Amino acid sequence: MTELIPNTWTLVDGNVDLVRGVVSRESGKATLTTRELQLLRFLVAREGEDVERDELLREVWGYRGRLPTTRAPDFAVRRVRGKIEVDPSNPMLLLTVRSHGYRLVPPLPSRTSAMPLPEPVVETTPVPREVDLFVGRDDLLSRLHASVAATQVTTLLGPGGVGKTRLAIHFAAQYSDEVVFCDLSEAHDRADACLAVARGLGVQVLGDEQAIVVNALRQRAPLLVILDNVEQVVKPMAQLLPSWIEATERVQFVVTSRVRLRIPGELNLLVGPLSAPAAAALFRERAEAAGATPLPAADEPRLRKVVALLDCLPLAIELAASRSRVLDLDGLADRIHQRFQILASPKRTKHNSILAILEESWFRLDPLAQQALAQLTVFPGSFTLEAAEAVIEVEGAWSVDLVEQLMDHSLVRRHEGHRFHLLAMVRDFASGFLNDEGAAERHGRYYAGWRTDGFQKLDFSKRRSHLPEAENLTVACRRAIARHDIAVATRTLFWVSHVVATQGVVQRLADLVDAMASLPIEGWLERSCLAASRGLVAHILGNRDQAAIHWQEERECCLRANEPARASAVLFRLGVLVERVDPELAKAQLERCLAEARACEAGTVEVRALYGLGDLALLQRDFDSANHWLQSALARCGPAGDPAYESVVRRSLARVGQAMGRPDEARTELERSLAIALEWGEPASAASTRVLLADILAVTGAFDDAHRAYTESARDLARFGVGPLRLARVSARHAMLYLMQRKLHEAEETAHRALHTVEGLGAPFNTGLARLVLANVSRRQGHRGDALRDGQAALALARTIRAPSLLGETLLLLAGLAAEGNEFGLAQGYLDEAAGLIERLHNGAYPSRVSAVEAECAYWRGDTEQVERSMRQAWSQLNPHRVDARLELERVNQLIQG
C-alpha cells in the first residue's frame, strides 16, 4: 500500500509533503506530528473510500486483539483538519461518515464548492449488551435508581476507565421503561450531538435538528435516554439538555461524562474506583476469562496489593488481568511502575487505552489547569486545599478555581472529609509535564511549617491534622535530605516523629533518621530534632537505655537553643521511660518537669507532667495520689489548649477505678475518653481506649461486647492508617480473649496475625504477648515442646523491655510447664520470681493467679496438702469482678480433680 502513496497531496489552497510532514498553504506552513502524518498517509492511500475507526486503530495505532474504547482517532482527525481544511468546522476534504468512520476526498474543482455528505443512515442505536459479569457497585446502583426517580438528569461523573458506561448499561438492563442509548463519542459540536441522539431515537434529521429531537422524545415517553461520552461535547449538551428537559416531562436522562455539565436540575453521582473486595473479584473473574489459572484464596492479600496499585480502576484491572497468563501477581506488582506498558495491548508498548484516556483528559484542560495538575503531582497521597494553595503557583489564576476545574474534569477527587487526591495513574502521567522545580520545595516548606523566626512551636492542637499526612511528611523530608535542605529536613522529621508516636510506623522514621546522618547538622534546634527522633526509634524498638541517651542529648540541645518548653517536655519522656524500673528517678524527673513547665508557662507540658505523676502513683498502687494528680491534669487540659489529651487522662482514671474494684466507674471514664478521642480526631487514642474498654469487658465476663470492642478498635486503626504496632497489640489482646474462652483455634490464628503484622518491626511487647498466647495454646493442645519454645521467647522479650505484666504471666506459664515436666527446682524459681512481682502488678487477678499456679506445681509434685492450702488462698484472693481469674482457677481445679 505504501507504494501507492504519492510524495505530495494537493489541498484547496496548497499541498502536503507526505514525506516530511509539512503542510504548505496560503496562510502559512504547519508541521504534522508523526501520528498525524501516519494517519494522513493511510487515508491518502484509501482516498475516496470509507475507512472504519476500528481499521484506523489497527492499521495506524497498531492495536491487536480486543480494541479499547478510545477517542484517539477522533482527536487526531480533528487536529489534521485544523491543518489541511480551509474551514475545519465545515470540512470539505476529511469527512465524517456517520456510524462508520471517515473518508478523505480530493479537492476537485467540481466538488470543492459543494461536496455532498454521505447519505444518512437512520437506525436506532441498540443498548450495548452485557457480555461478562458485572462486579460491585451495589450502593451506587441503588443511588442511581433513587436519583432517576427523583430528577430528570443524572450524570455519572468520573475519570476515564472507571466504568461509567458499564454502570449505565447495567442500570438500563434493570430499568422498567423503554431505554435508548446514544453514543456521543464521535460528536464534536451541537449538530453532531443532535444527530447522535436522533440516531439513538431512530429518527432522521432533515431540517431543525433540535425540534426533531424534542418531538421524538415527546412521542417516545416514558423513556430513559442514556447519553454516553458527553465529555466530547460538554458545552453543546449543557445548552441542549435544559431545553429538552423543559419540553418533556416523562423522559429521564442518564449522562456519562468525565466533565461536569453544570446545568440546573442535574444530580451528579461520582463514580470512583471499586472497593478493594470488588476490585479483587473483578480481577479474578477477568483473569479466568482470559484463560489464567484461578487464584487460590491464600493469594487474596497479594491480589489486594495489585489492585490497589492499579487504583482499583476497572479498565486498568481488566487490562492487567489479561496479562495474568504471563505475569503472576508478584510480577504485576514488580512492574506496576511500567503501568502504561503493562496496561497496553500485547503488541504495543507506548500507545494504549489508559494512556489515550489520560491524553484526552489532559488536552481538554486549559494551559493554566495543566500547570496546576502537574504541580499537584508532588503530593504522594491525599492533600488539603490549604496545602494545594501552598504548592500551586500559576500566574494569572486562583488556585482554588484551578482545583475546582480539575475536579470538574474528574482528575482531582475528594478523598475523605476535606481532603483531595489524584489517582496514581493521573499522577504518573501528569508528572511528566512538571517543569517547575519549585513545586517540590514549596511542598516541603508547607509541611515543615517553615518560619523565618526559628523552629515551629510544639502545637498539640495541630497534631490531629498531621495524622493523614504521613506520606506527605515522609516524602517532604526525604526530598529535603536529597537536596541538603537542612531546615526543611529537620522540621519535617520533627512532624514525622509526632505521626510515628501516634501511628507507630517506626520503620519510616528509622529510615529517615539514618538518611539524616549524611547531613552536616550544626544548629542546636536541628540537632535536638534529630536526637528526639533517634530516641523515639530506640524507645519503640525496646532499647530504653539508648532512648534515654538520645533524649538527654535532645534536652541539652534545647537548653542551648534557649527553648525551655521543649527542654521540659523531654523530662516528661525521660520520667515515663523509667517509671517501671526506677520509680524514684521517674518521680524526680516528672516533678522537675512540672516545675520547669510552670516556670515557662508551657501548659501542654504541665498537663503531661501531672498525668505522668498520676500514672506513676497508679503503678505504685497509691490510688489517692493517682486520683489527685490525674484530676489536676484533667482540670488543666482545657486552659492549656490541649483538650484532646483529656482522653488519655480519663483512660488512666479508668485504670484507677479498675484497680480499686470499681468496674462501672472505670467503664464510664473509658466511654468519656472514647467520645473525646473521636471528637478530636485521635484514632490511635480512641483505639487504645477501646482496647482498655475491651479488656475490662473481657475480665468481667462481657465476652460478646469485648469481641465487638476489639474488632471496632482494629477497624478504626486500619481505617485511619495507624501503624502496625498498635494493630498488633489489638490482635494480641483479642487472642488473649479467645484463649480465656478456650477457643484455641481462634486464639492461635489471631496471635499469628499479630506476629505477621509486626514482622521485621522489632516490636518486643506485642511479639512477646503473641508468643505467650501461642505458648498457652500449645500447652492446652498437649504440645509441650512448642509451648516451651514460645514461652522462653516471650520471657526473653519481657526481660529485655522490663514489662512486669508480660513477665509475670510468662513466668507463671513456664512454672506450670516446668512442674509438668518434673523440673520442680526450675518451677519454684519461676514461681518465686513471679511472686516478687505481686506488689508491682495491680490488675486484681495476679495474686490469685500466683496461688493457683503454686497449687498446680504442688499437684505435679504430689503434695496434696500444699495443693489444698494454695487453692484456699487462691479462692480467698479472688477479685469478684475478675471473671478471667475465676476461669483460671476453675481450669486448675479441673486439673487437680482429674
Side-chain angles (χ1 to χ4, degrees):
M1 180 177 294
T2 56
E3 296 177 358
L4 302 177
I5 301 175
N7 291 334
T8 61
W9 193 72
T10 304
L11 304 175
V12 174
D13 59 346
N15 61 71
V16 182
D17 186 332
L18 294 175
V19 178
R20 295 186 300 127
V22 177
V23 181
S24 301
R25 296 171 53 192
E26 294 176 359
S27 58
K29 290 187 177 183
T31 302
L32 297 171
T33 66
T34 301
R35 181 65 66 199
E36 292 166 358
L37 180 59
Q38 291 173 342
L39 173 63
L40 188 56
R41 285 172 60 86
F42 182 79
L43 292 173
V44 167
R46 299 283 297 276
E47 186 178 272
E49 300 179 23
D50 293 348
V51 180
E52 294 182 344
R53 293 176 72 261
D54 289 354
E55 188 176 1
L56 292 177
L57 287 172
R58 292 190 178 93
E59 300 301 328
V60 179
W61 270 260
Y63 285 104
R64 299 292 182 269
R66 180 181 177 183
L67 296 178
T69 302
T70 176
R71 312 290 170 262
D74 307 319
F75 279 92
V77 166
R78 188 184 303 181
R79 293 194 299 269
V80 170
R81 281 174 174 163
K83 295 177 181 179
I84 69 171
E85 296 280 5
V86 175
D87 181 5
S89 63
N90 184 28
M92 299 168 60
L93 304 176
L94 184 46
L95 308 176
T96 298
V97 182
R98 304 297 179 189
S99 301
H100 191 78
Y102 298 97
R103 178 194 298 168
L104 185 70
V105 297
L108 297 178
S110 61
R111 302 172 65 183
T112 55
S113 60
M115 175 61 60
L117 294 175
E119 288 296 321
V121 179
V122 182
E123 56 181 29
T124 302
T125 304
V127 179
R129 185 171 57 89
E130 294 185 283
V131 296
D132 46 26
L133 183 66
F134 183 83
V135 177
R137 308 291 196 196
D138 291 340
D139 179 62
L140 195 53
L141 272 171
S142 299
R143 291 167 57 199
L144 181 54
H145 277 284
S147 177
V148 169
T151 187
Q152 275 191 268
V153 180
T154 301
T155 299
L156 299 176
L157 186 68
V162 81
K164 303 181 295 296
T165 300
R166 183 61 196 275
L167 177 63
I169 293 171
H170 188 70
F171 173 75
Q174 303 174 348
Y175 197 70
S176 57
D177 294 331
E178 183 183 1
V179 180
V180 167
F181 186 86
C182 304
D183 181 8
L184 285 84
S185 60
E186 296 182 10
H188 301 110
D189 52 29
R190 178 188 176 99
D192 288 349
C194 285
L195 287 171
V197 177
R199 190 182 309 115
L201 293 167
V203 297
Q204 185 171 345
V205 176
L206 296 173
D208 185 349
E209 63 268 12
Q210 166 76 335
I212 292 172
V213 169
V214 168
N215 186 53
L217 290 172
R218 286 172 174 168
Q219 292 179 355
R220 298 281 291 276
L223 180 67
L224 172 67
V225 179
I226 297 176
L227 303 174
D228 194 35
N229 297 302
V230 168
E231 66 270 4
Q232 301 288 126
V233 281
V234 169
K235 289 183 179 179
M237 288 305 301
Q239 298 170 352
L240 290 169
L241 262 176
S243 63
W244 295 349
I245 296 170
E246 185 177 353
T248 60
E249 292 183 0
R250 295 186 299 161
V251 177
Q252 310 297 120
F253 296 91
V254 170
V255 177
T256 74
S257 178
R258 299 180 215 169
V259 183
R260 195 181 300 268
L261 289 175
R262 291 189 176 274
I263 62 174
E266 174 192 21
L267 196 153
N268 290 284
L269 292 183
L270 299 181
V271 183
L274 292 168
S275 65
L282 179 64
F283 187 99
R284 288 180 181 277
E285 196 276 334
R286 299 300 193 260
E288 291 179 23
T293 304
L295 294 170
D299 280 346
E300 187 70 14
R302 291 192 301 151
L303 177 55
R304 294 283 183 95
K305 176 183 176 182
V306 168
V307 297
L309 291 171
L310 295 169
D311 291 322
C312 292
L313 202 65
L315 179 59
I317 291 169
E318 292 188 0
L319 291 169
S322 69
R323 298 277 191 176
S324 57
R325 291 182 301 165
V326 178
L327 293 171
D328 61 11
L329 293 175
D330 291 335
L332 283 171
D334 291 342
R335 294 169 176 81
I336 210 66
H337 63 281
Q338 301 171 312
R339 65 178 80 244
F340 297 132
Q341 285 75 36
I342 291 291
L343 307 180
S345 171
K347 297 293 184 180
R348 303 297 296 177
T349 59
K350 182 178 181 182
H351 296 282
N352 53 73
S353 57
I354 292 292
L355 186 57
I357 286 170
L358 293 171
E359 285 176 342
E360 292 172 21
S361 296
W362 174 264
F363 288 114
R364 285 197 188 96
L365 296 173
D366 64 47
L368 300 181
Q370 290 176 346
Q371 290 182 55
L373 181 59
Q375 291 173 10
L376 288 176
T377 62
V378 300
F379 292 101
S382 66
F383 52 89
T384 63
L385 182 60
E386 181 187 31
E389 289 181 284
V391 167
I392 295 174
E393 280 192 6
V394 177
E395 187 176 353
W398 186 30
S399 55
V400 174
D401 287 340
L402 294 172
V403 171
E404 187 173 17
Q405 183 183 156
L406 294 172
M407 290 182 67
D408 283 349
H409 284 253
S410 301
L411 293 170
V412 169
R413 297 182 60 80
R414 287 293 287 265
H415 193 51
E416 290 185 357
H418 299 288
R419 300 185 67 80
F420 304 84
H421 78 119
L422 308 180
L423 293 177
M425 294 179 190
V426 174
R427 186 183 305 112
D428 287 353
F429 173 81
S431 63
F433 296 91
L434 179 62
N435 54 14
D436 178 8
E437 296 180 359
E441 294 185 17
R442 294 193 294 273
H443 174 271
R445 287 199 302 271
Y446 174 79
Y447 283 103
W450 185 83
R451 291 180 179 178
T452 56
D453 60 348
F455 201 85
Q456 179 163 329
K457 301 297 182 182
L458 183 62
D459 187 351
F460 285 95
S461 67
K462 291 185 178 179
R463 181 176 58 183
R464 60 178 176 153
S465 68
H466 283 74
L467 289 176
E469 303 290 8
E471 279 189 282
N472 280 308
L473 288 164
T474 304
V475 168
C477 186
R478 191 178 296 124
R479 287 172 181 158
I481 293 171
R483 64 177 182 266
H484 283 215
D485 187 342
I486 294 174
V488 169
T490 51
R491 285 156 176 75
T492 48
L493 183 69
F494 172 80
W495 284 115
V496 171
S497 298
H498 280 281
V499 172
V500 167
T502 307
Q503 296 183 327
V505 192
V506 66
Q507 193 57 50
R508 176 179 295 159
L509 179 61
D511 291 342
L512 293 175
V513 167
D514 290 342
M516 289 281 283
S518 63
L519 297 183
I521 301 175
E522 298 179 356
W524 292 115
L525 284 174
E526 286 76 11
R527 289 174 60 182
S528 74
C529 173
L530 182 57
S533 299
R534 284 174 171 164
L536 180 60
V537 171
H539 174 55
I540 293 176
L541 297 181
N543 193 338
R544 296 189 181 186
D545 294 337
Q546 196 65 39
I549 292 172
H550 288 309
W551 284 341
Q552 288 285 8
E553 179 188 354
E554 177 196 4
R555 175 169 165 80
E556 180 66 24
C557 291
C558 289
L559 291 173
R560 287 176 176 269
N562 194 27
E563 289 281 346
R566 291 194 62 221
S568 63
V570 178
L571 285 175
F572 165 71
R573 279 183 267 130
L574 289 170
V576 172
L577 188 67
V578 297
E579 64 182 3
R580 292 182 181 275
V581 294
D582 193 340
E584 290 304 316
L585 175 60
K587 185 177 181 181
Q589 297 275 35
L590 290 168
E591 287 176 343
R592 187 177 177 186
C593 173
L594 179 61
E596 289 187 8
R598 285 174 171 170
C600 64
E601 298 182 350
T604 56
V605 181
E606 180 185 352
V607 169
R608 278 151 182 74
L610 291 167
Y611 162 77
L613 288 166
D615 213 42
L616 180 62
L618 176 60
L619 286 174
Q620 297 175 312
R621 301 180 64 81
D622 184 354
F623 302 131
D624 290 336
S625 294
N627 188 67
H628 164 73
W629 290 117
L630 292 171
Q631 291 291 349
S632 298
L634 196 64
R636 288 290 296 146
C637 283
D642 194 11
Y645 207 72
E646 182 181 340
S647 173
V648 179
V649 177
R650 288 196 180 277
R651 196 157 61 235
S652 282
L653 283 170
R655 291 169 54 210
V656 172
Q658 183 184 14
M660 296 181 69
R662 298 198 290 262
D664 293 339
E665 178 182 313
R667 186 167 179 174
T668 299
E669 289 290 357
L670 287 175
E671 288 170 350
R672 291 178 183 172
S673 171
L674 180 60
I676 294 165
L678 293 175
E679 177 187 356
W680 283 91
E682 295 281 356
S685 181
S688 297
T689 303
R690 284 193 201 275
V691 171
L692 187 54
L693 180 59
D695 290 345
I696 291 178
L697 293 169
V699 301
T700 55
F703 295 140
D704 290 341
D705 290 340
H707 280 299
R708 187 160 44 252
Y710 283 129
T711 301
E712 289 175 351
S713 178
R715 179 203 63 200
D716 288 347
L717 288 172
R719 175 187 172 194
F720 287 101
V722 175
L725 298 181
R726 293 179 185 273
L727 276 170
R729 179 166 296 197
V730 173
S731 295
R733 300 298 301 168
H734 204 170
M736 291 291 288
L737 174 58
Y738 282 122
L739 183 66
M740 190 189 309
Q741 294 182 274
R742 302 184 186 180
K743 296 180 178 181
L744 301 186
H745 177 70
E746 292 87 346
E748 184 177 23
E749 277 193 347
T750 310
H752 276 302
R753 185 162 60 248
L755 288 176
H756 177 73
T757 302
V758 296
E759 185 177 1
L761 295 180
F765 183 85
N766 298 331
T767 302
L769 192 58
R771 289 288 179 197
L772 177 61
V773 172
L774 291 174
N776 274 287
V777 170
S778 296
R779 184 188 183 193
R780 297 186 187 189
Q781 291 175 336
H783 305 311
R784 185 170 179 273
D786 292 339
L788 282 170
R789 182 198 64 213
D790 285 322
Q792 292 291 351
L795 180 64
L797 291 167
R799 292 191 194 281
T800 299
I801 59 176
R802 303 170 190 169
S805 59
L806 178 61
L807 179 61
E809 290 298 326
T810 308
L811 288 169
L812 292 178
L813 168 75
L814 291 173
L817 284 169
E820 189 178 339
N822 296 324
E823 298 176 280
F824 301 118
L826 182 61
Q828 190 59 48
Y830 286 139
L831 263 177
D832 290 343
E833 186 178 356
L837 296 172
I838 287 179
E839 292 302 318
R840 295 174 59 190
L841 293 173
H842 49 85
N843 61 19
Y846 192 70
S848 64
R849 289 273 293 109
V850 173
S851 297
V853 175
E854 286 178 347
E856 190 175 358
C857 292
Y859 165 78
W860 291 111
R861 289 198 312 269
D863 189 345
T864 55
E865 291 184 4
Q866 183 61 46
V867 168
E868 291 180 2
R869 283 197 299 272
S870 295
M871 286 302 294
R872 280 198 303 272
Q873 184 174 2
W875 284 110
S876 67
Q877 294 170 324
L878 180 64
N879 185 326
H881 300 291
R882 296 298 298 255
V883 174
D884 58 333
R886 178 173 56 78
L887 291 174
E888 187 63 17
L889 289 182
E890 289 175 356
R891 182 191 68 80
V892 175
N893 197 55
Q894 288 176 359
L895 172 69
I896 294 169
Q897 297 299 326

